[in-house]
Amino acid sequence: MKKILTLLILLCSVAVFSQRTCDTNRKLAELKNSVPGFAEHHHDVMEYIQNPNNDQANFLRGANAPAVVVTIPVVFHVLYKNATQNISDAQVNSQLAVLNNDYRKLNADFNSVVPAAFRPLGADMEIAFCKATRTPTGATTTGITRKSVNNSFNFQESYYLAAGEPAWDPTKYLNVWIGRFNDPQILGFAYLPSAAGSAFDGLCIGDQFFGTTGTASAPFNKGRTGTHEIGHYFGLEHPWGDDFSNCGSSANSDGVADTPATDNPHYDCPSFPTNVNTCTSSANGAMFMNFMDYVDDACMAFFTAGQKTIMQNTLAGPRLSLLSSNGCGALGLNEVEAIRAIAVYPNPVSKYFMITSPQIAIDEVEIFNTMGQLVKTQKLSLANNVINIEELASGTYYLRIYNQGQFLKSDKVIKK
């Protein structure tokens, strides 16, 4: 009997380990519960980036502009408890290669994994990734940092603290922390754009689920956990929304029109088509092979055009400052557009909005009501500046943005 019980425990452990678990929603819930005003801010940011008619994003794209691939500088922080966890440069490079293939729709398995019915929806995200070549202070770097941590180190909670490795400027770099989670069920998590610029902002991932070689373990050894989590970083939610909710509830939506609504994740490698978790049954069923579902690495293979719109809106607002990073010679906005590209988001807003200026210095904003009365002035000193207007009445307000007394740009924001 004891042997049978032991065997059952082992089988259950394997079953749990073999299913994808993303901790992004739990981390988001922590912020909503612990940071005053964050829940409203998150709602406003998601509403902003999920708007397909986002004016700021449309300006940056340009109605007839040629495709421009945005290059994102990445720094990889390896936090290891033993020599095995101190993963090789080759494993890091394998993950980078997967990201560059997946985000450009160059992955070799696109046609074999994505059913013909869904292939027309697949999209090139026009996002590329490079290892940082410069530190925030301008020193030369390989784009990889390494640090030995003790056996009691809590990777999930302390990765960005002094005990781990503090983030490089999160407004200019995508920080990726690789380590070993205390909870073996967690593969990784990343923060959505509502947390852009925070000290903990970026991707946190288990070394066993990172890249395609070294310590990467099947069925999560094709680098797709990184692809999935960075999807969150650029604003994508799971197909079932930000919670496991019944179909039709406000939480049961990822804000993407071309991903069929579901009420639960899919695991392992389902057979196409399946309507087990769909909110509305159809001939094609669920898009379980989308990068944002929970299937095994070998069974996910694409992003959609609707998901691309959200990523572009994110790069036009909460993560706009990445476009001007010189971390690895990334493409930026040209000088003529620098002032016009100053972003004010989200809009409309409940409590506070952000002002981001990626290429030109700004140091002050004035806020006027519709009668022309100055109601608030605030100094600006960061790449992402938080402007709290909770005390103002609902309505439309006009902004004037300055640098050293010189007027640069006017804009408006609507207070809900």
Side-chain angles (χ1 to χ4, degrees), residues 77-351:
H77 305 294
V78 181
L79 301 173
Y80 59 95
K81 296 179 179 180
N82 54 52
T84 300
Q85 295 173 18
N86 187 16
I87 63 172
S88 67
D89 286 8
Q91 187 168 345
V92 173
N93 293 338
S94 73
Q95 179 64 74
L96 197 65
V98 170
L99 294 176
N100 281 318
N101 284 328
D102 288 349
Y103 278 78
R104 295 303 318 279
K105 209 182 80 168
L106 296 173
N107 48 306
D109 58 357
F110 174 80
N111 286 321
S112 60
V113 173
V114 181
F118 288 139
R119 285 175 206 155
L121 301 177
D124 172 3
M125 298 296 101
E126 295 178 333
I127 296 174
F129 303 86
C130 61
K131 282 193 296 186
T133 58
R134 302 180 193 177
T135 69
T137 60
T140 301
T141 179
T142 63
I144 303 174
T145 71
R146 298 178 182 278
K147 183 176 182 180
S148 174
V149 295
N150 61 47
N151 286 330
S152 62
F153 178 73
N154 188 329
F155 176 57
Q156 181 178 346
E157 303 299 332
S158 303
Y159 63 94
Y160 67 98
L161 301 177
E165 186 66 33
W168 292 10
D169 184 353
T171 68
K172 299 294 184 182
Y173 299 86
L174 165 54
N175 286 266
V176 176
W177 289 269
I178 306 105
R180 190 64 62 98
F181 288 111
N182 291 357
D183 183 346
Q185 298 184 52
I186 298 172
L187 275 65
F189 61 85
Y191 282 93
L192 288 151
S194 52
S198 302
F200 45 78
D201 185 26
L203 161 63
C204 194
I205 186 170
D207 66 280
Q208 319 98 295
F209 322 114
F210 180 79
T212 63
T213 187
T215 61
S217 302
F220 306 114
N221 59 343
K222 292 186 177 294
R224 264 54 194 275
T225 298
T227 299
H228 173 104
E229 299 301 346
I230 291 173
H232 288 313
Y233 176 85
F234 285 118
L236 301 185
E237 294 183 297
H238 299 127
W240 54 93
D242 63 9
D243 201 355
F244 297 103
S245 305
N246 294 325
C247 291
S249 74
S250 59
N252 179 241
S253 174
D254 61 354
V256 184
D258 59 7
T259 58
T262 61
D263 60 3
N264 271 288
H266 298 86
Y267 296 102
D268 307 319
C269 283
S271 296
F272 173 83
T274 177
N275 281 289
V276 173
N277 296 327
T278 56
C279 293
T280 302
S281 294
S282 67
N284 296 328
M287 191 184 283
F288 59 81
M289 69 298 302
N290 188 273
F291 285 131
M292 298 313 295
D293 212 314
Y294 272 10
V295 296
D296 294 348
D297 279 18
C299 299
M300 54 170 59
F302 82 126
F303 292 116
T304 69
Q307 290 173 319
K308 177 178 181 176
T309 296
I310 289 178
M311 291 194 190
Q312 289 186 324
N313 289 349
T314 295
L315 283 168
R319 300 203 183 281
L320 176 63
S321 55
L322 291 171
L323 273 63
S324 63
S325 174
N326 64 356
C328 59
L331 295 176
L333 306 175
N334 66 50
E335 293 180 3
V336 176
E337 297 174 336
I339 292 176
R340 289 182 62 200
I342 297 172
V344 175
Y345 62 91
N347 198 0
V349 61
S350 299
K351 291 187 177 181

